[in-house]
Structure formats: C-alpha cells, structure tokens
Amino acid sequence: MYNFAIIGGGIVGLSTGMALRQRYPDASIIVLEKEACIASHQTGRNSGVIHSGIYYPSGSFKAKFTSVGNKSMIDFCRTYDIPHEVCGKVIVATRKKELPLLDNLYQRGLEKKLEVKKISSQEVKEIEPYVNCLAGVYVPTSGIVDYKKVSQKYSELIQEQGGEILLNTKVERIIKNSDSQILETNQGTIKTNFVINCAGLYSDRVAQLAQVDNQVKIVPFRGEYYELIPEKRYLVKNLIYPVPNPDFPFLGVHFTRMIDGSVHAGPNAVLSLKREGYEKTDFNLRDFAEVMTYPGFWKLVAKHADEGIKEMIRSFSKAAFVHSLQQLIPEVTMSDVVVSKSGIRAQALETNGKLVNDFLIIQDTQALHVCNAPSPAATASLEIGKAIVSQIP
Ligand SMILES: Cc1cc2nc3c(=O)[nH]c(=O)nc-3n(C[C@H](O)[C@H](O)[C@H](O)COP(=O)(O)OP(=O)(O)OC[C@H]3O[C@@H](n4cnc5c(N)ncnc54)[C@H](O)[C@@H]3O)c2cc1C
C-alpha cells in the first residue's frame, strides 16, 4: 500500500513527486508511467523555453507560478548542472495594429514587476540582426533548456529519496474504496491512499476512470515545427516571438534556439485526430469521435473558424508556414527550413467552447486531478508541484 500514487511521468507528475517527498519525507510514493521512458509526450516535445511570465494576466496561476517558476527553474538547473542559458527574448510587432497589443504586453510585464524593456526596431536589430519589425519588447529573463533532462533529474531525485517510478505501467481502472484506492494497470494492481492524476493528454480520461465529472475535455492541438538548416542558423541568435493573438492561449509561430544549438520555427496549432498522434495522418476513431461529438468543440469552431482555417493551411502548405516566418525574418526561404518533430498540447476545453486558459486542478476525495497544465507548465513545474501538494487535505 502506497501513501501516494502519481499517474503520469511527465514534468508535472515528477515535480509533484519531488514536492511530496519534501512535504512528507516518510511517505511511500510511486509514479506510474505508461511509456518505456519518462517525459515521452508534451514534456519531451516542446520548445524548451524557460518563460518569463509576461503573457499571463495578473492574478492567474500561470502568472503567479511562471514568474517564480522562471527563477526556480534556473536555480534548479544551476544547482544540478543542467545545460541551460538565460538568453533573453524579443517579442516584436510587425504590423501597425499589433503596436497597442505589444504595449499591453509591456504594461503587463511592468505590473508583474518583470524585467522588461520597450525597444525600437533599430534596438531589436542590435539583438536580432535579421528581424524586420516596427517595435519590440525585450525580456532578458527568458531562457532555454531541455525539459527532458530536467525531468530526468527530477526522477533521479525522487528515486534517491526512496520514491519509486514504474515505467510501462498504464493505469486502466480506478476502484475507490472507503479507505484506499485500487489502481488496475497492465502490470498488476497498486493500492494507494491518495491519487494524483498528472496524465497530460489523458488527464480527462483518467479523471473519468475515477468517476470525476471534470466538465472539461482535453482537445489535442498538434504543434508542428520546422527547423533551420545548419547553414542558416545564424539568422536567429536566441528567441524571436510575434505578438500573440490575445484570444488564443498559443503564442504564434516563433523562432527558438534550442539548447543543442538547433533553431526551431513553430509551433502552429492544429487539431490532432489522435491524442498522441505526431504525424499529420495519425487517426484514432475514439479520439476523433469524442472531439466531434463534444458541443464545446463546435462552439469553439464557430468562434474561431477563420483562425482555424489559417492554421490548417499553414499545416499543409510549407509556403504558408514560411510566409508566417517571413513576417519576422524576411530572409527565410523555403529551402532554409526542414520539417522537425511535432508536439501535442493537452488543451482543456469547456462545454461552452471556452479554452481553459489557466492551470486547472480538480479536487476529489483522496485525489487531485490536474486537468489543464499547458504551456508554460514546464517552466512553472517546480511551483505547480508545490501548489498541487499544498492542496492535499
Ligand atoms: C508544442 C509544445 C510546445 C511547448 N513549449 C513550451 C515551452 O517552451 N515552455 C514551457 O514551459 N512549456 C511548453 N509547453 C508546455 C509543456 O510542455 C507542458 O505544459 C508540460 O510538459 C506538461 O507536462 P505534463 O507532465 O502535464 O504532461 P506530459 O509531459 O504529457 O506527461 C503526461 C504523462 O502521463 C502519461 N500517462 C497518460 N495516461 C496515463 C495512464 N493512464 N497511465 C500511466 N501514465 C499515463 C503519459 O504517457 C505522459 O508521459 C509546450 C507544449 C507543447 C506541446
């Protein structure tokens, strides 16, 4: 019998494991992960940016956890010698109508007491010589890291302190008793007092296994990337972002220098027809039917049809993708970029068609369900882990 069982060995499940260890040093803890290695899904397939927290509205969990999480992630990497860089980023307006939105972002940064600087197009060029824009905001505290490596360190620490991590173990059924819960897995049965669901793209289904009516559905949005060919990496020094559409939780296609030196361009955001389907042609009937029969999805489509169509075109047409990139760096051409691996965001959607913007943790008897932990949950993971544990009654 374990005191705590965590479902999901992504960065959120693992940070929760570490936070549990700190708060309950004598407790028995197990992390159950269905894949053969940790961080196989969102955590291992993202942009690798340590966000500053500038984007998120004051008062949200995202704002609170990300500005603190930025510092704790950087401290963690320093403490454990994980390769990372605090390289800073520019957010740039390339059209006149984006200037007020850029100013809003700047004001948001100031409100949250972040280090931010308004810069002219000339000053942007001093930082990113190939960017063409009208104005920018410079955020020096943004950085880059490989979150798979961060997660590996989290998992080592959990195990050094007596916690267990079981790989290839998929939770298939949850039986609730008055004093314990039985998790039926493909590897046998685990008995526990308390369950923490950090199952990412499957967090809503795991909540359903525990008969929790979470009133949201995970809609998988694939983020596709291209990569600059090595000879063109000089076009990007660090991180170059457009001004995001304020109606969307996604940040718009951007350029990211990864910690391994490669430069990624993307991600877009298209509906995936399979929850863990990383190829455009991947399809799963249950996943597809669930989205198509969910009223919230059609309300979302009705509100954002234009944007959705643009994203689909950008997904199927390299020319359209490159055209978006050229808004930031006009010199980029079709032959400068090649397809790179994609990631899939677990984005919760309400039945009324509203995308859940903030982190969402649902409390149940002897369980917590993390039902929305999209970007920047990797940056904020140490803070999210602590926040989850602080909600244990
Ligand atoms: C394209 C993209 C770009 C992003 N860029 C950034 C970025 O630059 N910076 C940033 O901070 N964040 C970024 N994010 C967000 C960040 O990656 C996620 O918020 C974070 O990784 C979520 O972690 P998680 O542990 O909740 O989910 P995951 O990493 O998806 O982990 C969930 C785990 O649960 C396991 N699981 C599921 N069901 C079961 C089951 N039944 N039994 C056992 N195990 C199960 C899965 O196999 C998986 O390993 C990005 C995300 C994407 C997709």
Side-chain angles (χ1 to χ4, degrees), residues 7-8 10-12 32-35 41-43 46-49 51 169-171 198-199 202 225 344-345 373-379:
I7 305 173
I11 201 162
V12 173
L32 306 169
E33 168 54 52
K34 67 179 166 58
E35 304 294 345
H41 293 289
Q42 296 177 90
T43 303
N46 58 36
S47 299
V49 174
H51 286 292
T169 307
K170 181 177 180 191
V171 174
C198 301
Y202 287 95
Y225 291 90
I344 301 204
R345 307 169 182 89
S375 185
T379 303

PDB file of all heavy atoms in Angstrom, residues 7-8 10-12 32-35 41-43 46-49 51 169-171 198-199 202 225 344-345 373-379, ligand 1:
ATOM      1  N   ILE A   7      -0.145   9.442 -11.296  1.00  0.00           N
ATOM      2  CA  ILE A   7      -0.331   8.852 -12.631  1.00  0.00           C
ATOM      3  C   ILE A   7       0.247   9.830 -13.650  1.00  0.00           C
ATOM      4  O   ILE A   7      -0.246  10.942 -13.807  1.00  0.00           O
ATOM      5  CB  ILE A   7      -1.825   8.586 -12.915  1.00  0.00           C
ATOM      6  CG1 ILE A   7      -2.415   7.708 -11.800  1.00  0.00           C
ATOM      7  CG2 ILE A   7      -1.998   7.925 -14.289  1.00  0.00           C
ATOM      8  CD1 ILE A   7      -3.925   7.520 -11.889  1.00  0.00           C
ATOM      9  N   GLY A   8       1.325   9.416 -14.318  1.00  0.00           N
ATOM     10  CA  GLY A   8       1.947  10.264 -15.350  1.00  0.00           C
ATOM     11  C   GLY A   8       3.352  10.690 -14.972  1.00  0.00           C
ATOM     12  O   GLY A   8       3.563  11.355 -13.966  1.00  0.00           O
ATOM     13  N   GLY A  10       5.367  12.748 -16.662  1.00  0.00           N
ATOM     14  CA  GLY A  10       5.817  13.958 -17.360  1.00  0.00           C
ATOM     15  C   GLY A  10       6.386  14.899 -16.305  1.00  0.00           C
ATOM     16  O   GLY A  10       6.495  14.547 -15.124  1.00  0.00           O
ATOM     17  N   ILE A  11       6.707  16.118 -16.728  1.00  0.00           N
ATOM     18  CA  ILE A  11       7.390  17.031 -15.806  1.00  0.00           C
ATOM     19  C   ILE A  11       6.502  17.426 -14.625  1.00  0.00           C
ATOM     20  O   ILE A  11       7.005  17.647 -13.516  1.00  0.00           O
ATOM     21  CB  ILE A  11       7.934  18.269 -16.570  1.00  0.00           C
ATOM     22  CG1 ILE A  11       9.051  18.945 -15.797  1.00  0.00           C
ATOM     23  CG2 ILE A  11       6.827  19.262 -16.930  1.00  0.00           C
ATOM     24  CD1 ILE A  11       9.919  19.880 -16.620  1.00  0.00           C
ATOM     25  N   VAL A  12       5.169  17.436 -14.829  1.00  0.00           N
ATOM     26  CA  VAL A  12       4.274  17.838 -13.732  1.00  0.00           C
ATOM     27  C   VAL A  12       4.161  16.704 -12.701  1.00  0.00           C
ATOM     28  O   VAL A  12       4.265  16.939 -11.492  1.00  0.00           O
ATOM     29  CB  VAL A  12       2.889  18.263 -14.284  1.00  0.00           C
ATOM     30  CG1 VAL A  12       1.911  18.521 -13.147  1.00  0.00           C
ATOM     31  CG2 VAL A  12       3.026  19.511 -15.152  1.00  0.00           C
ATOM     32  N   LEU A  32       3.503   6.263 -11.776  1.00  0.00           N
ATOM     33  CA  LEU A  32       3.177   5.256 -12.790  1.00  0.00           C
ATOM     34  C   LEU A  32       3.175   5.913 -14.169  1.00  0.00           C
ATOM     35  O   LEU A  32       2.452   6.890 -14.393  1.00  0.00           O
ATOM     36  CB  LEU A  32       1.787   4.667 -12.509  1.00  0.00           C
ATOM     37  CG  LEU A  32       1.616   4.121 -11.079  1.00  0.00           C
ATOM     38  CD1 LEU A  32       0.160   3.812 -10.791  1.00  0.00           C
ATOM     39  CD2 LEU A  32       2.478   2.885 -10.884  1.00  0.00           C
ATOM     40  N   GLU A  33       3.995   5.388 -15.054  1.00  0.00           N
ATOM     41  CA  GLU A  33       4.117   5.979 -16.396  1.00  0.00           C
ATOM     42  C   GLU A  33       3.899   4.885 -17.432  1.00  0.00           C
ATOM     43  O   GLU A  33       4.529   3.838 -17.377  1.00  0.00           O
ATOM     44  CB  GLU A  33       5.498   6.628 -16.548  1.00  0.00           C
ATOM     45  CG  GLU A  33       5.874   7.013 -17.965  1.00  0.00           C
ATOM     46  CD  GLU A  33       4.854   7.907 -18.688  1.00  0.00           C
ATOM     47  OE1 GLU A  33       4.476   8.945 -18.134  1.00  0.00           O
ATOM     48  OE2 GLU A  33       4.440   7.535 -19.810  1.00  0.00           O
ATOM     49  N   LYS A  34       3.016   5.141 -18.383  1.00  0.00           N
ATOM     50  CA  LYS A  34       2.667   4.088 -19.343  1.00  0.00           C
ATOM     51  C   LYS A  34       3.754   3.835 -20.387  1.00  0.00           C
ATOM     52  O   LYS A  34       3.807   2.781 -20.988  1.00  0.00           O
ATOM     53  CB  LYS A  34       1.337   4.386 -20.027  1.00  0.00           C
ATOM     54  CG  LYS A  34       1.310   5.586 -20.951  1.00  0.00           C
ATOM     55  CD  LYS A  34      -0.078   5.723 -21.562  1.00  0.00           C
ATOM     56  CE  LYS A  34      -0.306   7.059 -22.221  1.00  0.00           C
ATOM     57  NZ  LYS A  34       0.616   7.431 -23.293  1.00  0.00           N
ATOM     58  N   GLU A  35       4.625   4.824 -20.619  1.00  0.00           N
ATOM     59  CA  GLU A  35       5.648   4.652 -21.655  1.00  0.00           C
ATOM     60  C   GLU A  35       6.911   3.997 -21.081  1.00  0.00           C
ATOM     61  O   GLU A  35       7.080   3.899 -19.873  1.00  0.00           O
ATOM     62  CB  GLU A  35       6.014   6.003 -22.273  1.00  0.00           C
ATOM     63  CG  GLU A  35       4.854   6.775 -22.852  1.00  0.00           C
ATOM     64  CD  GLU A  35       4.208   6.107 -24.078  1.00  0.00           C
ATOM     65  OE1 GLU A  35       4.813   5.195 -24.668  1.00  0.00           O
ATOM     66  OE2 GLU A  35       3.076   6.512 -24.424  1.00  0.00           O
ATOM     67  N   HIS A  41       5.942  12.547 -23.810  1.00  0.00           N
ATOM     68  CA  HIS A  41       4.931  13.301 -24.564  1.00  0.00           C
ATOM     69  C   HIS A  41       5.190  14.808 -24.472  1.00  0.00           C
ATOM     70  O   HIS A  41       6.254  15.249 -24.888  1.00  0.00           O
ATOM     71  CB  HIS A  41       3.532  12.824 -24.162  1.00  0.00           C
ATOM     72  CG  HIS A  41       3.337  11.404 -24.622  1.00  0.00           C
ATOM     73  ND1 HIS A  41       3.198  11.089 -25.952  1.00  0.00           N
ATOM     74  CD2 HIS A  41       3.371  10.220 -23.948  1.00  0.00           C
ATOM     75  CE1 HIS A  41       3.116   9.773 -26.092  1.00  0.00           C
ATOM     76  NE2 HIS A  41       3.219   9.213 -24.892  1.00  0.00           N
ATOM     77  N   GLN A  42       4.253  15.593 -23.949  1.00  0.00           N
ATOM     78  CA  GLN A  42       4.440  17.059 -24.014  1.00  0.00           C
ATOM     79  C   GLN A  42       5.814  17.508 -23.505  1.00  0.00           C
ATOM     80  O   GLN A  42       6.470  18.365 -24.111  1.00  0.00           O
ATOM     81  CB  GLN A  42       3.381  17.753 -23.171  1.00  0.00           C
ATOM     82  CG  GLN A  42       1.966  17.552 -23.677  1.00  0.00           C
ATOM     83  CD  GLN A  42       0.995  18.221 -22.737  1.00  0.00           C
ATOM     84  OE1 GLN A  42       0.677  19.378 -22.916  1.00  0.00           O
ATOM     85  NE2 GLN A  42       0.527  17.495 -21.733  1.00  0.00           N
ATOM     86  N   THR A  43       6.245  16.893 -22.405  1.00  0.00           N
ATOM     87  CA  THR A  43       7.492  17.332 -21.772  1.00  0.00           C
ATOM     88  C   THR A  43       8.712  17.150 -22.669  1.00  0.00           C
ATOM     89  O   THR A  43       9.663  17.929 -22.618  1.00  0.00           O
ATOM     90  CB  THR A  43       7.678  16.554 -20.443  1.00  0.00           C
ATOM     91  OG1 THR A  43       6.519  16.801 -19.645  1.00  0.00           O
ATOM     92  CG2 THR A  43       8.914  16.965 -19.694  1.00  0.00           C
ATOM     93  N   ASN A  46       8.622  19.842 -26.701  1.00  0.00           N
ATOM     94  CA  ASN A  46       8.204  21.249 -26.644  1.00  0.00           C
ATOM     95  C   ASN A  46       9.315  22.177 -27.114  1.00  0.00           C
ATOM     96  O   ASN A  46      10.332  21.725 -27.628  1.00  0.00           O
ATOM     97  CB  ASN A  46       7.701  21.594 -25.235  1.00  0.00           C
ATOM     98  CG  ASN A  46       8.741  21.352 -24.175  1.00  0.00           C
ATOM     99  OD1 ASN A  46       9.925  21.565 -24.408  1.00  0.00           O
ATOM    100  ND2 ASN A  46       8.317  20.889 -23.019  1.00  0.00           N
ATOM    101  N   SER A  47       9.109  23.478 -26.955  1.00  0.00           N
ATOM    102  CA  SER A  47      10.071  24.454 -27.481  1.00  0.00           C
ATOM    103  C   SER A  47      11.286  24.636 -26.571  1.00  0.00           C
ATOM    104  O   SER A  47      12.244  25.302 -26.963  1.00  0.00           O
ATOM    105  CB  SER A  47       9.410  25.823 -27.661  1.00  0.00           C
ATOM    106  OG  SER A  47       8.358  25.762 -28.567  1.00  0.00           O
ATOM    107  N   GLY A  48      11.197  24.119 -25.348  1.00  0.00           N
ATOM    108  CA  GLY A  48      12.346  24.218 -24.442  1.00  0.00           C
ATOM    109  C   GLY A  48      12.625  25.639 -23.962  1.00  0.00           C
ATOM    110  O   GLY A  48      13.772  25.968 -23.635  1.00  0.00           O
ATOM    111  N   VAL A  49      11.576  26.438 -23.885  1.00  0.00           N
ATOM    112  CA  VAL A  49      11.789  27.823 -23.430  1.00  0.00           C
ATOM    113  C   VAL A  49      11.463  27.935 -21.942  1.00  0.00           C
ATOM    114  O   VAL A  49      10.462  27.400 -21.473  1.00  0.00           O
ATOM    115  CB  VAL A  49      10.893  28.799 -24.242  1.00  0.00           C
ATOM    116  CG1 VAL A  49      10.971  30.220 -23.689  1.00  0.00           C
ATOM    117  CG2 VAL A  49      11.322  28.783 -25.709  1.00  0.00           C
ATOM    118  N   HIS A  51      10.017  30.319 -19.783  1.00  0.00           N
ATOM    119  CA  HIS A  51       9.255  31.554 -19.979  1.00  0.00           C
ATOM    120  C   HIS A  51       9.428  32.502 -18.794  1.00  0.00           C
ATOM    121  O   HIS A  51       9.718  32.074 -17.670  1.00  0.00           O
ATOM    122  CB  HIS A  51       7.770  31.223 -20.191  1.00  0.00           C
ATOM    123  CG  HIS A  51       7.497  30.649 -21.549  1.00  0.00           C
ATOM    124  ND1 HIS A  51       7.629  31.391 -22.698  1.00  0.00           N
ATOM    125  CD2 HIS A  51       7.127  29.399 -21.945  1.00  0.00           C
ATOM    126  CE1 HIS A  51       7.336  30.627 -23.753  1.00  0.00           C
ATOM    127  NE2 HIS A  51       7.034  29.414 -23.320  1.00  0.00           N
ATOM    128  N   THR A 169       3.743   1.175 -17.374  1.00  0.00           N
ATOM    129  CA  THR A 169       2.632   0.843 -16.483  1.00  0.00           C
ATOM    130  C   THR A 169       1.471   1.805 -16.727  1.00  0.00           C
ATOM    131  O   THR A 169       1.527   2.970 -16.337  1.00  0.00           O
ATOM    132  CB  THR A 169       3.095   0.928 -15.000  1.00  0.00           C
ATOM    133  OG1 THR A 169       4.260   0.120 -14.853  1.00  0.00           O
ATOM    134  CG2 THR A 169       2.015   0.450 -14.051  1.00  0.00           C
ATOM    135  N   LYS A 170       0.466   1.274 -17.368  1.00  0.00           N
ATOM    136  CA  LYS A 170      -0.674   2.124 -17.740  1.00  0.00           C
ATOM    137  C   LYS A 170      -1.833   1.890 -16.774  1.00  0.00           C
ATOM    138  O   LYS A 170      -2.259   0.742 -16.577  1.00  0.00           O
ATOM    139  CB  LYS A 170      -1.102   1.772 -19.172  1.00  0.00           C
ATOM    140  CG  LYS A 170      -2.257   2.600 -19.650  1.00  0.00           C
ATOM    141  CD  LYS A 170      -2.605   2.272 -21.083  1.00  0.00           C
ATOM    142  CE  LYS A 170      -3.783   3.135 -21.512  1.00  0.00           C
ATOM    143  NZ  LYS A 170      -4.332   2.716 -22.778  1.00  0.00           N
ATOM    144  N   VAL A 171      -2.331   2.954 -16.195  1.00  0.00           N
ATOM    145  CA  VAL A 171      -3.489   2.836 -15.297  1.00  0.00           C
ATOM    146  C   VAL A 171      -4.741   2.696 -16.162  1.00  0.00           C
ATOM    147  O   VAL A 171      -5.024   3.543 -17.012  1.00  0.00           O
ATOM    148  CB  VAL A 171      -3.591   4.065 -14.364  1.00  0.00           C
ATOM    149  CG1 VAL A 171      -4.873   4.006 -13.533  1.00  0.00           C
ATOM    150  CG2 VAL A 171      -2.360   4.141 -13.478  1.00  0.00           C
ATOM    151  N   CYS A 198      -1.720  13.197 -13.154  1.00  0.00           N
ATOM    152  CA  CYS A 198      -0.939  14.160 -13.956  1.00  0.00           C
ATOM    153  C   CYS A 198      -0.751  13.555 -15.342  1.00  0.00           C
ATOM    154  O   CYS A 198       0.369  13.481 -15.861  1.00  0.00           O
ATOM    155  CB  CYS A 198       0.430  14.405 -13.323  1.00  0.00           C
ATOM    156  SG  CYS A 198       0.351  15.050 -11.654  1.00  0.00           S
ATOM    157  N   ALA A 199      -1.849  13.071 -15.927  1.00  0.00           N
ATOM    158  CA  ALA A 199      -1.750  12.248 -17.139  1.00  0.00           C
ATOM    159  C   ALA A 199      -1.784  13.058 -18.429  1.00  0.00           C
ATOM    160  O   ALA A 199      -1.957  12.491 -19.514  1.00  0.00           O
ATOM    161  CB  ALA A 199      -2.843  11.179 -17.135  1.00  0.00           C
ATOM    162  N   TYR A 202      -4.182  12.573 -21.387  1.00  0.00           N
ATOM    163  CA  TYR A 202      -5.240  11.652 -20.950  1.00  0.00           C
ATOM    164  C   TYR A 202      -5.800  12.039 -19.587  1.00  0.00           C
ATOM    165  O   TYR A 202      -6.504  11.242 -18.966  1.00  0.00           O
ATOM    166  CB  TYR A 202      -4.714  10.208 -20.927  1.00  0.00           C
ATOM    167  CG  TYR A 202      -4.540   9.671 -22.327  1.00  0.00           C
ATOM    168  CD1 TYR A 202      -3.309   9.724 -22.972  1.00  0.00           C
ATOM    169  CD2 TYR A 202      -5.631   9.162 -23.031  1.00  0.00           C
ATOM    170  CE1 TYR A 202      -3.163   9.272 -24.275  1.00  0.00           C
ATOM    171  CE2 TYR A 202      -5.491   8.709 -24.328  1.00  0.00           C
ATOM    172  CZ  TYR A 202      -4.258   8.763 -24.940  1.00  0.00           C
ATOM    173  OH  TYR A 202      -4.133   8.321 -26.237  1.00  0.00           O
ATOM    174  N   TYR A 225       6.604  21.845 -36.145  1.00  0.00           N
ATOM    175  CA  TYR A 225       7.805  22.673 -36.225  1.00  0.00           C
ATOM    176  C   TYR A 225       8.552  22.429 -37.529  1.00  0.00           C
ATOM    177  O   TYR A 225       8.560  21.309 -38.047  1.00  0.00           O
ATOM    178  CB  TYR A 225       8.796  22.316 -35.112  1.00  0.00           C
ATOM    179  CG  TYR A 225       8.382  22.668 -33.711  1.00  0.00           C
ATOM    180  CD1 TYR A 225       7.666  21.764 -32.928  1.00  0.00           C
ATOM    181  CD2 TYR A 225       8.743  23.880 -33.140  1.00  0.00           C
ATOM    182  CE1 TYR A 225       7.318  22.061 -31.616  1.00  0.00           C
ATOM    183  CE2 TYR A 225       8.403  24.187 -31.833  1.00  0.00           C
ATOM    184  CZ  TYR A 225       7.690  23.279 -31.080  1.00  0.00           C
ATOM    185  OH  TYR A 225       7.352  23.584 -29.784  1.00  0.00           O
ATOM    186  N   ILE A 344       2.251  17.649 -29.052  1.00  0.00           N
ATOM    187  CA  ILE A 344       0.792  17.831 -28.969  1.00  0.00           C
ATOM    188  C   ILE A 344       0.422  18.430 -27.622  1.00  0.00           C
ATOM    189  O   ILE A 344       0.815  17.904 -26.564  1.00  0.00           O
ATOM    190  CB  ILE A 344       0.050  16.503 -29.186  1.00  0.00           C
ATOM    191  CG1 ILE A 344       0.447  15.975 -30.564  1.00  0.00           C
ATOM    192  CG2 ILE A 344      -1.465  16.703 -29.057  1.00  0.00           C
ATOM    193  CD1 ILE A 344      -0.483  15.061 -31.226  1.00  0.00           C
ATOM    194  N   ARG A 345      -0.307  19.532 -27.666  1.00  0.00           N
ATOM    195  CA  ARG A 345      -0.708  20.206 -26.437  1.00  0.00           C
ATOM    196  C   ARG A 345      -1.987  19.561 -25.899  1.00  0.00           C
ATOM    197  O   ARG A 345      -2.924  19.342 -26.672  1.00  0.00           O
ATOM    198  CB  ARG A 345      -1.005  21.675 -26.692  1.00  0.00           C
ATOM    199  CG  ARG A 345       0.097  22.448 -27.386  1.00  0.00           C
ATOM    200  CD  ARG A 345      -0.483  23.786 -27.781  1.00  0.00           C
ATOM    201  NE  ARG A 345       0.440  24.645 -28.495  1.00  0.00           N
ATOM    202  CZ  ARG A 345       0.599  24.646 -29.808  1.00  0.00           C
ATOM    203  NH1 ARG A 345      -0.055  23.803 -30.566  1.00  0.00           N
ATOM    204  NH2 ARG A 345       1.426  25.501 -30.370  1.00  0.00           N
ATOM    205  N   ALA A 373      -2.718  21.578 -17.822  1.00  0.00           N
ATOM    206  CA  ALA A 373      -1.355  22.039 -17.487  1.00  0.00           C
ATOM    207  C   ALA A 373      -0.597  22.300 -18.786  1.00  0.00           C
ATOM    208  O   ALA A 373       0.411  21.666 -19.076  1.00  0.00           O
ATOM    209  CB  ALA A 373      -0.638  21.000 -16.640  1.00  0.00           C
ATOM    210  N   PRO A 374      -1.114  23.245 -19.588  1.00  0.00           N
ATOM    211  CA  PRO A 374      -0.429  23.533 -20.853  1.00  0.00           C
ATOM    212  C   PRO A 374       0.748  24.471 -20.620  1.00  0.00           C
ATOM    213  O   PRO A 374       1.083  24.789 -19.475  1.00  0.00           O
ATOM    214  CB  PRO A 374      -1.525  24.225 -21.668  1.00  0.00           C
ATOM    215  CG  PRO A 374      -2.356  24.936 -20.648  1.00  0.00           C
ATOM    216  CD  PRO A 374      -2.249  24.136 -19.366  1.00  0.00           C
ATOM    217  N   SER A 375       1.341  24.956 -21.702  1.00  0.00           N
ATOM    218  CA  SER A 375       2.461  25.878 -21.581  1.00  0.00           C
ATOM    219  C   SER A 375       2.024  27.065 -20.736  1.00  0.00           C
ATOM    220  O   SER A 375       0.893  27.533 -20.878  1.00  0.00           O
ATOM    221  CB  SER A 375       2.858  26.391 -22.978  1.00  0.00           C
ATOM    222  OG  SER A 375       3.995  27.192 -22.878  1.00  0.00           O
ATOM    223  N   PRO A 376       2.815  27.546 -19.825  1.00  0.00           N
ATOM    224  CA  PRO A 376       4.210  27.260 -19.529  1.00  0.00           C
ATOM    225  C   PRO A 376       4.410  26.323 -18.341  1.00  0.00           C
ATOM    226  O   PRO A 376       5.229  26.590 -17.449  1.00  0.00           O
ATOM    227  CB  PRO A 376       4.744  28.648 -19.207  1.00  0.00           C
ATOM    228  CG  PRO A 376       3.580  29.282 -18.459  1.00  0.00           C
ATOM    229  CD  PRO A 376       2.331  28.693 -19.036  1.00  0.00           C
ATOM    230  N   ALA A 377       3.685  25.185 -18.334  1.00  0.00           N
ATOM    231  CA  ALA A 377       3.759  24.299 -17.168  1.00  0.00           C
ATOM    232  C   ALA A 377       5.142  23.680 -16.996  1.00  0.00           C
ATOM    233  O   ALA A 377       5.518  23.308 -15.885  1.00  0.00           O
ATOM    234  CB  ALA A 377       2.703  23.207 -17.264  1.00  0.00           C
ATOM    235  N   ALA A 378       5.921  23.580 -18.072  1.00  0.00           N
ATOM    236  CA  ALA A 378       7.271  23.031 -17.899  1.00  0.00           C
ATOM    237  C   ALA A 378       8.124  24.044 -17.127  1.00  0.00           C
ATOM    238  O   ALA A 378       8.769  23.700 -16.126  1.00  0.00           O
ATOM    239  CB  ALA A 378       7.886  22.708 -19.260  1.00  0.00           C
ATOM    240  N   THR A 379       8.071  25.306 -17.557  1.00  0.00           N
ATOM    241  CA  THR A 379       8.794  26.368 -16.834  1.00  0.00           C
ATOM    242  C   THR A 379       8.380  26.388 -15.365  1.00  0.00           C
ATOM    243  O   THR A 379       9.215  26.488 -14.464  1.00  0.00           O
ATOM    244  CB  THR A 379       8.423  27.757 -17.431  1.00  0.00           C
ATOM    245  OG1 THR A 379       8.722  27.763 -18.812  1.00  0.00           O
ATOM    246  CG2 THR A 379       9.130  28.882 -16.715  1.00  0.00           C
TER     247      THR A 379
HETATM  248  C1  LIG B   1       4.439  22.042 -28.880  1.00  0.00           C
HETATM  249  C2  LIG B   1       4.600  22.424 -27.442  1.00  0.00           C
HETATM  250  C3  LIG B   1       5.477  23.465 -27.083  1.00  0.00           C
HETATM  251  C4  LIG B   1       5.619  23.839 -25.749  1.00  0.00           C
HETATM  252  N1  LIG B   1       6.572  24.743 -25.381  1.00  0.00           N
HETATM  253  C5  LIG B   1       6.784  25.001 -24.070  1.00  0.00           C
HETATM  254  C6  LIG B   1       7.846  25.837 -23.660  1.00  0.00           C
HETATM  255  O1  LIG B   1       8.646  26.293 -24.471  1.00  0.00           O
HETATM  256  N2  LIG B   1       7.985  26.120 -22.339  1.00  0.00           N
HETATM  257  C7  LIG B   1       7.121  25.619 -21.394  1.00  0.00           C
HETATM  258  O2  LIG B   1       7.264  25.922 -20.209  1.00  0.00           O
HETATM  259  N3  LIG B   1       6.120  24.780 -21.751  1.00  0.00           N
HETATM  260  C8  LIG B   1       5.958  24.446 -23.054  1.00  0.00           C
HETATM  261  N4  LIG B   1       4.983  23.567 -23.425  1.00  0.00           N
HETATM  262  C9  LIG B   1       4.110  23.017 -22.402  1.00  0.00           C
HETATM  263  C10 LIG B   1       4.754  21.898 -21.608  1.00  0.00           C
HETATM  264  O3  LIG B   1       5.477  21.025 -22.440  1.00  0.00           O
HETATM  265  C11 LIG B   1       3.634  21.145 -20.867  1.00  0.00           C
HETATM  266  O4  LIG B   1       2.853  22.087 -20.195  1.00  0.00           O
HETATM  267  C12 LIG B   1       4.190  20.147 -19.860  1.00  0.00           C
HETATM  268  O5  LIG B   1       5.148  19.316 -20.455  1.00  0.00           O
HETATM  269  C13 LIG B   1       3.041  19.321 -19.297  1.00  0.00           C
HETATM  270  O6  LIG B   1       3.605  18.285 -18.534  1.00  0.00           O
HETATM  271  P1  LIG B   1       2.702  17.083 -18.022  1.00  0.00           P
HETATM  272  O7  LIG B   1       3.528  16.308 -17.100  1.00  0.00           O
HETATM  273  O8  LIG B   1       1.404  17.649 -17.525  1.00  0.00           O
HETATM  274  O9  LIG B   1       2.288  16.291 -19.343  1.00  0.00           O
HETATM  275  P2  LIG B   1       3.105  15.161 -20.202  1.00  0.00           P
HETATM  276  O10 LIG B   1       4.517  15.553 -20.396  1.00  0.00           O
HETATM  277  O11 LIG B   1       2.299  14.945 -21.427  1.00  0.00           O
HETATM  278  O12 LIG B   1       3.048  13.911 -19.263  1.00  0.00           O
HETATM  279  C14 LIG B   1       1.886  13.150 -19.013  1.00  0.00           C
HETATM  280  C15 LIG B   1       2.329  11.713 -18.876  1.00  0.00           C
HETATM  281  O13 LIG B   1       1.219  10.911 -18.454  1.00  0.00           O
HETATM  282  C16 LIG B   1       1.379   9.639 -19.032  1.00  0.00           C
HETATM  283  N5  LIG B   1       0.078   8.961 -18.980  1.00  0.00           N
HETATM  284  C17 LIG B   1      -1.059   9.314 -19.614  1.00  0.00           C
HETATM  285  N6  LIG B   1      -2.048   8.451 -19.323  1.00  0.00           N
HETATM  286  C18 LIG B   1      -1.536   7.529 -18.477  1.00  0.00           C
HETATM  287  C19 LIG B   1      -2.073   6.371 -17.844  1.00  0.00           C
HETATM  288  N7  LIG B   1      -3.352   6.003 -17.993  1.00  0.00           N
HETATM  289  N8  LIG B   1      -1.244   5.630 -17.040  1.00  0.00           N
HETATM  290  C20 LIG B   1       0.061   5.989 -16.868  1.00  0.00           C
HETATM  291  N9  LIG B   1       0.624   7.064 -17.474  1.00  0.00           N
HETATM  292  C21 LIG B   1      -0.174   7.829 -18.256  1.00  0.00           C
HETATM  293  C22 LIG B   1       1.854   9.965 -20.433  1.00  0.00           C
HETATM  294  O14 LIG B   1       2.473   8.846 -21.065  1.00  0.00           O
HETATM  295  C23 LIG B   1       2.799  11.117 -20.188  1.00  0.00           C
HETATM  296  O15 LIG B   1       4.148  10.702 -20.057  1.00  0.00           O
HETATM  297  C24 LIG B   1       4.829  23.177 -24.757  1.00  0.00           C
HETATM  298  C25 LIG B   1       3.976  22.125 -25.109  1.00  0.00           C
HETATM  299  C26 LIG B   1       3.890  21.732 -26.431  1.00  0.00           C
HETATM  300  C27 LIG B   1       3.028  20.552 -26.781  1.00  0.00           C
END
